[in-house]
Amino acid sequence: LDAWRVNASGGALERYTGVPSATYAVFYDNPAPGQMPDHDVEFGYKDIGSCAMSGCYVNNTTLVARKVKEVFEDGDKLILRAAGYMKDGTPTGKSEIVLAEYSALKDTVMYNWTPFDLTKLGAVDFIDFEVVSTKPEVPGYACIDGILANIAISY
């Protein structure tokens, strides 16, 4: 299915290591209430350590890239947002990256794995992603690979 297929030949690590990679995650920002977990990413050792996000690689799915080309008009954008939280709900930081943008001068759609800097999230226990589009008919999918974090665990 095009909704779950990255708009590239494989996972991000293939591009950067030369080793074939078919593994990556597809995030779906399901608009139906109650259909998503409380948080999209959870640091499993939050009770005995800390997790500081470095970044990841992102790309569009084939379906999203095609839909953007079909419906975007001047001024339209597709953005992936990430927000970090501590286990008590305190926000730690936010970051965003443009997945597609259209203007009369330039039409850009992410077709390659692109680094997404997550250092602004700081130390986190949870991460929530959100796909925001100016066109509601563009589905909320984004491909994510190679999540990098600095983790410290104390016993």
Side-chain angles (χ1 to χ4, degrees):
L1 289 166
D2 285 348
W4 308 112
R5 185 179 14 218
V6 68
N7 200 40
S9 63
L13 299 182
E14 178 178 2
R15 179 175 180 203
Y16 297 98
T17 65
V19 177
S21 167
T23 307
Y24 52 87
V26 177
F27 170 74
Y28 175 49
D29 197 1
N30 191 332
Q35 295 298 308
M36 297 293 287
D38 290 337
H39 297 284
D40 300 320
V41 176
E42 178 179 356
F43 175 55
Y45 295 97
K46 60 188 166 296
D47 293 331
I48 57 170
S50 64
C51 177
M53 297 307 302
S54 296
C56 63
Y57 295 98
V58 297
N59 200 347
N60 285 303
T61 67
T62 302
L63 172 67
V64 168
R66 186 176 63 244
K67 204 66 167 160
V68 162
K69 287 288 196 180
E70 291 173 5
V71 302
F72 265 27
E73 300 171 340
D74 194 24
D76 286 331
K77 275 188 180 182
L78 180 67
I79 298 170
L80 176 62
R81 293 184 177 149
Y85 299 92
M86 298 307 290
K87 62 184 170 186
D88 64 2
T90 304
T92 62
K94 295 181 178 185
S95 191
E96 67 179 40
I97 189 168
V98 176
L99 298 173
E101 183 173 15
Y102 184 85
S103 73
L105 300 175
K106 190 175 184 183
D107 178 8
T108 59
V109 179
M110 189 179 293
Y111 289 113
N112 296 304
W113 288 103
T114 304
F116 183 15
D117 183 0
L118 297 176
T119 57
K120 291 180 183 177
L121 300 185
V124 299
D125 292 330
F126 302 103
I127 302 171
D128 291 336
F129 290 102
E130 177 184 23
V131 178
V132 180
S133 176
T134 53
K135 294 285 190 190
E137 57 268 44
V138 175
Y141 295 100
C143 296
I144 301 172
D145 199 2
I147 295 175
L148 303 171
N150 294 312
I151 298 173
I153 299 174
S154 301
Y155 289 98

